[in-house]
Amino acid sequence: MYNIGMNIFGFLTIKSEISCLYSDSTVRQALEKMDSHKYSVIPMIDKEGKYAGTVSEGDLLRFIKNDCDFDINKGEDELIEKIEKHRSYKALDIGSSIEELLDLSMDQNFIPIVDDRNVFIGIVKRKTILNYFKKEMLSSLEKFK
């Protein structure tokens, strides 16, 4: 019924179409970028373009609360790579299976995708996966009418 043997490239939103943070961005830069794009979690890459994890609104809020006494100005020079992350999104290699993609999508809003050198190439959004399978399911149901 579904083409499970297909690759994940067809689901990919490439890096140039999303916003990322460099791991040496400041807390203020992270907050501003996340606010302007309305992201709750954002991928982080290093200067070589390698995937370095994610930063969430919660990570930033905990840092401001616990380390800055609720004063955002104290965090202006703090690098996001140094703040404690509650949970970082696991990345998949572009050659990973659809099954691996589906498994991760159960727990993550998006799946960071890297090449064989761990260079970040984009994300697969949970919404993209769900839309694909919704269309496939509805198409299959139409055949039975």
Side-chain angles (χ1 to χ4, degrees):
M1 182 159 132
Y2 301 116
N3 185 3
I4 298 300
M6 69 184 164
N7 64 37
I8 63 177
F9 189 77
F11 294 102
L12 186 69
T13 301
I14 58 174
K15 181 169 83 172
S16 63
E17 294 177 5
I18 60 169
S19 190
C20 299
L21 288 170
Y22 284 106
S23 53
D24 64 353
S25 297
T26 66
V27 169
R28 178 177 217 85
Q29 289 169 325
L31 287 168
E32 288 172 355
K33 187 168 275 196
M34 291 174 78
D35 182 46
S36 70
H37 292 284
K38 307 299 183 228
Y39 290 169
S40 59
V41 179
I42 191 167
M44 195 171 46
I45 58 176
D46 66 17
K47 287 296 182 187
E48 289 80 42
K50 295 184 184 224
Y51 179 66
T54 55
V55 177
S56 72
E57 289 175 329
D59 296 333
L60 296 171
L61 290 172
R62 275 186 292 284
F63 174 78
I64 293 166
K65 177 184 138 292
N66 297 333
D67 298 337
C68 298
D69 298 321
F70 294 100
D71 183 354
I72 184 62
N73 294 322
K74 290 181 181 178
E76 283 188 357
D77 297 324
E78 296 292 334
L79 303 181
I80 58 170
E81 67 186 353
K82 295 183 179 177
I83 69 172
E84 183 180 342
K85 314 297 185 300
H86 176 68
R87 176 183 135 206
S88 191
Y89 282 25
K90 184 178 186 288
L92 285 179
D93 182 270
I94 189 66
S96 298
S97 70
I98 294 295
E99 185 176 0
E100 291 170 295
L101 184 71
L102 291 172
D103 286 343
L104 265 184
S105 72
M106 299 292 211
D107 296 319
Q108 299 178 185
N109 295 332
F110 64 87
I111 297 88
I113 306 297
V114 297
D115 67 12
D116 58 355
R117 298 170 297 138
N118 199 41
V119 172
F120 180 75
I121 58 175
I123 64 171
V124 174
K125 300 174 196 170
R126 182 189 295 157
K127 183 177 182 175
T128 303
I129 297 167
L130 289 172
N131 278 332
Y132 172 81
F133 283 102
K134 175 184 172 186
K135 287 177 188 172
E136 287 291 315
M137 187 178 74
L138 291 175
S139 175
S140 295
L141 290 174
E142 283 294 317
K143 294 177 185 175
F144 292 110
K145 286 186 175 181

